[in-house]
Amino acid sequence: MPFPYTGGCQCGNIRYEIQAEPLTLYACHCNECQRQSSSAFGMSMPVPRKAIKLLQGTPKQWSRPAAASDRTVVCFFCGNCGTRLFHQPSRNNKITNIKPGTLDDTSWLSPVANHWTIHAQPWITLSDDMLNIAQQPTDKEFEEIHERFKKKS
Ligand SMILES: [Zn+2]
Ligand SMILES: [Zn+2]
């Protein structure tokens, strides 16, 4: 899939475009992601922060502590329908994590890793083809997560 990628919130007030290739794509089964997605897990697609262009609307934002660290995550969402759109981790100020379920075309999304598998719901089957990490990935594991995505795309 070549960029740009377009997406938006559920009600359509917020529309965005990504003007670069994603850096990787993973699923996260931590309790924060379960609550945030109000589902079994969240997906994150890091892209270069500069590559996001808002086409319409202004998301609201709030901050929370990052999982198992003293850092923070700024979370962007639609103030009308509540759809979560982006996360900006203080861990790396060059990237923004897109919530990729908000893309117009989700058919090509194929995560290369699972994070926080210790909290994965019991009915989830973890693929051996993916990098399955028990808790928060180390910097070295994050490198591997980027490498795997590069090889795949
Ligand atoms: Zn909305
Ligand atoms: Zn998580």
Side-chain angles (χ1 to χ4, degrees):
M1 277 280 296
F3 67 88
Y5 304 93
T6 55
C9 67
Q10 199 171 6
C11 78
N13 279 5
I14 314 266
R15 296 286 305 160
Y16 68 84
E17 184 175 83
I18 305 166
Q19 300 169 328
E21 289 304 326
L23 301 167
T24 188
L25 174 63
Y26 57 84
C28 182
H29 303 261
C30 82
N31 298 130
E32 291 286 349
C33 287
Q34 289 179 351
R35 191 174 294 267
Q36 181 271 305
S37 65
S38 60
S39 185
F41 57 86
M43 286 206 293
S44 286
M45 189 176 82
V47 302
R49 195 166 288 191
K50 289 180 299 195
I52 299 174
K53 191 180 162 199
L54 280 169
L55 302 175
Q56 184 187 298
T58 305
K60 286 195 171 181
Q61 64 183 75
W62 75 290
S63 297
R64 66 165 175 82
S69 83
D70 53 4
R71 293 173 286 217
T72 57
V73 182
V74 184
C75 308
F76 294 83
F77 60 97
C78 172
N80 187 49
C81 69
T83 305
R84 192 68 65 82
L85 296 156
F86 322 120
H87 285 176
Q88 290 185 341
S90 65
R91 175 177 59 78
N92 183 344
N93 63 14
K94 291 190 170 54
I95 62 151
T96 292
N97 290 321
I98 304 288
K99 296 281 118 188
T102 60
L103 290 169
D104 293 332
D105 180 5
T106 55
S107 64
W108 57 278
L109 296 174
S110 176
V112 297
N114 290 297
H115 298 187
W116 285 95
T117 59
I118 55 163
H119 291 313
Q121 292 188 359
W123 52 269
I124 297 265
T125 305
L126 298 169
S127 166
D128 289 336
D129 295 339
M130 293 166 73
L131 194 62
N132 297 313
I133 299 161
Q135 298 189 41
Q136 184 67 14
T138 61
D139 287 349
K140 200 168 159 39
E141 283 167 331
F142 262 116
E143 276 173 33
E144 168 81 17
I145 291 162
H146 282 76
E147 277 307 307
R148 284 196 181 212
F149 187 80
K150 231 182 270 169
K151 270 185 217 151
K152 218 168 141 174
S153 45

